[in-house]
């Protein structure tokens, strides 16, 4: 059977470099419907299996604020690719993992390509990829896209995960005080027959108006979701959307301090 793998990551994380390495030169280049954002698709040359790689626009989050974000999230939630390759710039891992925590919520099989490992090694930093993999619940494969290092392992892991995805453990937000509200909204969505319930539950709690319209939820159910969102906002002044962003960053900061050792103390001179 043929597979569709979507390549997702921040701008400048090395998506084009990885895409070119995977597909060689025979990519089909066009635009996403209705917008002048480039759409590239190509066949993966690194496997006997038939794999189509779709390059998504570079994005920092799955919020609905830029055409790129909307294209990426619509593609992922509506076209259901077999797998996401999430390319992460390992030299800028905290910012990149913000998107990762959101991609994981789509419940699509995923592997993380931890790119720019040449730079990480040069700085003497050490990233515990196995630790991150265990924490995030998805495979993490260190690569250096410009040199083609780690690509074979990445493709092998990706095929393995597409064929036999491991169940996700509790994801970042489910581990926080929002866990109960997320679970309740998921139950409502499941009963109403929706898929992608984790992603949609978070989006509804965030009061994402595009998703609210798209799902056409019964007004009574909608009201109860809204009340749960209001209750989760708690006593603080914060909007729930800000609270959710803060919770993601807090989680990321905890896991990066646990699994990344900096080789250089900040401000230290190197010779
Ligand atoms: P995109 O914006 O995600 O498509 O990123 P690009 O593929 O254009 O890469 C951004 C920059 O990072 C380019 O200058 C690449 O040559 C560079 N780059 C990509 N992968 C690596 C890598 O593994 N190591 C290093 N040192 N640079 C890389
Ligand atoms: K670029
Ligand atoms: Mg690019």
């Amino acid at each position: 059977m043929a597979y569709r793998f979507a390549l997702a990551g921040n701008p400048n994380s090395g998506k084009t470099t990885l895409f070119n390495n995977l597909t060689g030169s025979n990519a089909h280049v066009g635009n996403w419907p209705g917008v002048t954002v480039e759409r590239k698709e190509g066949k993966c040359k690194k496997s006997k299996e038939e794999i189509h790689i779709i390059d998504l626009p570079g994005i920092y989050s799955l919020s609905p604020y830029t055409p790129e974000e909307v294209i990426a999230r619509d593609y992922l939630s509506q076209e259901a690719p077999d797998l996401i390759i999430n390319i992460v710039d390992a030299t800028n891992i905290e910012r990149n993992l913000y998107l990762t925590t959101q991609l994981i919520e789509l419940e699509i099989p995923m592997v993380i390509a931890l790119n720019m490992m040449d730079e990480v090694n040069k700085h003497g930093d050490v990233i515990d990829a196995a630790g991150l993999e265990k924490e995030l619940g998805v495979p993490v494969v260190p690569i250096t896209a410009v040199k083609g290092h780690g690509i074979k392992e990445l493709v092998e892991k990706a095929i393995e995960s597409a064929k036999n995805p491991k169940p996700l453990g509790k994801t970042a937000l489910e581990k926080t005080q929002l866990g109960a509200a997320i679970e309740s909204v998921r139950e409502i969505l499941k009963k109403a027959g929706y898929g992608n319930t984790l992603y949609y539950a978070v989006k509804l709690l965030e009061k994402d108006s595009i998703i609210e319209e798209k799902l056409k939820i019964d007004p009574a159910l909608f009201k109860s979701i809204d009340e749960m969102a209001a209750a989760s906002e708690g006593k603080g002044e914060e909007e729930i959307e800000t609270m959710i962003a803060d919770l993601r960053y807090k989680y990321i900061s905890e896991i990066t301090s646990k699994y990344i050792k900096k080789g250089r103390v900040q401000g230290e001179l190197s010779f």
Side-chain angles (χ1 to χ4, degrees):
M1 76 171 258
Y3 292 95
R4 261 179 321 130
F5 291 177
L7 199 51
N10 287 11
N12 287 316
S13 57
K15 270 167 10 73
T16 298
T17 310
L18 177 59
F19 181 87
N20 291 343
N21 186 297
L22 290 172
T23 60
S25 49
N26 80 337
H28 176 80
V29 183
N31 278 336
W32 291 91
V35 286
T36 53
V37 177
E38 189 181 80
R39 184 189 197 282
K40 278 192 305 187
E41 183 167 349
K43 259 193 207 173
C44 181
K45 295 277 176 61
K46 306 278 165 166
S47 167
K48 287 193 196 86
E49 309 265 359
E50 185 178 341
I51 301 168
H52 297 263
I53 311 278
I54 294 99
D55 191 22
L56 294 175
I59 48 170
Y60 295 107
S61 84
L62 293 180
S63 310
Y65 301 119
T66 66
E68 287 81 3
E69 289 167 347
V70 173
I71 289 166
R73 71 187 215 164
D74 282 356
Y75 180 83
L76 292 169
S77 61
Q78 290 164 22
E79 304 297 319
D82 299 296
L83 176 117
I84 299 170
I85 297 177
N86 172 212
I87 182 159
V88 162
D89 174 358
T91 67
N92 207 345
I93 196 164
E94 298 220 7
R95 185 165 73 172
N96 279 247
L97 287 178
Y98 185 70
L99 174 66
T100 303
T101 62
Q102 298 178 51
L103 292 173
I104 286 175
E105 288 164 2
L106 288 161
E107 300 175 271
I108 295 168
M110 185 164 120
V111 295
I112 293 173
L114 199 58
N115 192 31
M116 316 256 182
M117 286 306 294
D118 56 335
E119 290 290 327
V120 170
N121 296 335
K122 204 161 79 188
H123 295 154
D125 298 343
V126 178
I127 301 180
D128 177 358
L132 278 179
E133 173 166 328
K134 205 162 156 227
E135 177 66 49
L136 294 166
V138 297
V140 176
V141 184
I143 69 166
T144 298
V146 274
K147 294 180 184 158
H149 294 170
I151 308 289
K152 188 166 167 273
E153 293 82 349
L154 176 68
V155 172
E156 279 167 7
K157 265 277 161 17
I159 293 169
E160 191 185 310
S161 302
K163 284 184 175 165
N164 238 326
K166 292 210 185 77
L168 270 179
K170 272 204 191 315
T171 54
L173 292 178
E174 291 177 285
K175 291 176 189 171
T176 70
Q177 66 265 34
L178 272 185
I182 291 171
E183 194 48 44
S184 306
V185 179
R186 285 186 85 176
E187 283 308 314
I188 293 172
L189 292 173
K190 272 183 209 163
K191 278 191 197 130
Y194 290 99
N196 290 107
T197 55
L198 179 55
Y199 169 71
Y200 285 129
V202 172
K203 288 291 155 206
L204 289 174
L205 285 168
E206 276 179 347
K207 300 179 191 161
D208 182 316
S209 56
I210 297 178
I211 301 291
E212 288 175 351
E213 266 175 47
K214 195 170 279 176
L215 291 188
K216 296 189 182 72
I217 288 183
D218 175 329
L221 290 180
F222 193 70
K223 189 159 168 282
S224 73
I225 292 173
D226 228 26
E227 281 163 8
M228 266 183 270
S232 308
E233 278 178 47
K235 297 155 208 76
E237 301 287 296
E238 258 179 359
E239 293 271 339
I240 188 153
E241 200 184 347
T242 313
M243 174 185 164
I244 287 177
D246 289 348
L247 288 171
R248 291 192 199 280
Y249 278 118
K250 186 163 162 264
Y251 170 81
I252 290 164
S253 153
E254 280 165 14
I255 68 171
T256 50
S257 64
K258 199 164 160 195
Y259 297 111
I260 300 175
K261 298 282 166 274
K262 292 280 178 192
R264 236 182 339 177
V265 180
Q266 210 148 36
E268 191 180 310
L269 291 172
S270 58
F271 295 94

